[in-house]
Amino acid sequence: MKIAVIGATGRVGSRIVEEAKSRGHYVTAIVRDASRLSSTEGIEMLVKDVFQLDSELREFDAIVNSFSAKPGEEHKHVEVIKHLIAALKPAQGTILYNVGGAGSLLVDDQGTRLMDTPQFPSLFYATAKAQSDQLDVLRGEKELKWTFFSPAAVFEPGEKTGKVQLGEDHFLLNSQHKSKISMEDYASVLLGEIENPKFLNRRFTAINV
């Protein structure tokens, strides 16, 4: 498959690139600064700002958006997703995969989101709100194929264990009452979804068990 990763030099994006490459896919890293790529072996590179991307995206089977906004510019998460939707609408065969956050996951059946609970760190609220708004934009999109993948609350570099539990819109806890997933396992689950889509036009989540 032809897979492009936006934000390929980031902590998550770089691991998605490596996982896709290890599975034998044709991978293109979309970056603003080529010097930040640790290695270009086995991948193509496209140096371009995300807001300049357009018709060249339509040649791919999957676009992974792992764009990360700087503090104070969280609104760009929504602007980016709108831009990508507009660019990809003419491409019937391309699926947009969005690296989301845990803040929009539901903690009950009344619609309460994790980011609305007293325990949610205020430091991350602006990003969580912007990523929740991203999800709302995607849910209103009727023409484009998309998938929104929310990680667990603790989302850090680690090891690929293969020990994961999948869910949909609700916040998950493992048997130790923890919500965590390594970025390596996240990348593996995402590539599994790209290869065998089960959550088209839906959000899903995953945790380590």
Side-chain angles (χ1 to χ4, degrees), residues 30-159:
I30 300 177
V31 297
R32 288 174 291 182
D33 182 358
S35 68
R36 292 184 60 196
L37 273 175
S38 58
S39 171
T40 59
E41 183 180 355
I43 64 172
E44 296 292 323
M45 183 172 56
L46 176 59
V47 182
K48 213 166 192 180
D49 183 87
V50 64
F51 291 105
Q52 296 176 332
L53 297 170
D54 194 16
S55 59
E56 65 268 41
L57 295 178
R58 300 169 202 162
E59 66 180 84
F60 297 98
D61 300 302
I63 303 292
V64 179
N65 175 36
S66 64
F67 170 85
S68 180
K70 297 177 181 178
E73 297 183 352
E74 291 85 0
H75 61 278
K76 287 187 177 180
H77 283 287
V78 179
E79 294 172 9
V80 164
I81 209 68
K82 289 180 177 178
H83 177 78
L84 294 176
I85 289 171
L88 289 171
K89 269 191 178 182
Q92 297 297 317
T94 304
I95 303 175
L96 174 61
Y97 294 87
N98 197 77
V99 176
S104 60
L105 290 166
L106 303 178
V107 297
D108 57 29
D109 293 327
Q110 285 72 52
T112 306
R113 299 167 298 183
L114 180 64
M115 66 184 192
D116 298 323
T117 62
Q119 297 81 13
F120 192 81
S122 59
L123 177 65
F124 303 123
Y125 184 84
T127 296
K129 177 64 168 61
Q131 290 178 323
S132 180
D133 290 344
Q134 273 187 324
L135 179 57
D136 288 341
V137 169
L138 286 168
R139 283 174 167 164
E141 177 52 46
K142 305 303 180 185
E143 298 176 40
L144 182 71
K145 293 178 181 177
W146 59 270
T147 297
F148 189 100
F149 185 13
S150 287
V154 178
F155 186 36
E156 298 175 343
E159 299 178 357

Side-chain angles (χ1 to χ4, degrees), residues 1 3 16 19-20 23 25 97 149 166 184-199 204:
M1 296 178 70
I3 300 171
I16 294 169
E19 181 68 24
R23 294 178 181 226
H25 296 293
Y97 294 87
F149 185 13
L166 303 187
E184 289 76 6
D185 274 325
Y186 180 96
S188 180
V189 172
L190 177 59
L191 263 295
E193 173 64 21
I194 291 173
E195 293 170 345
N196 183 24
K198 297 179 180 178
F199 295 97
F204 78 111

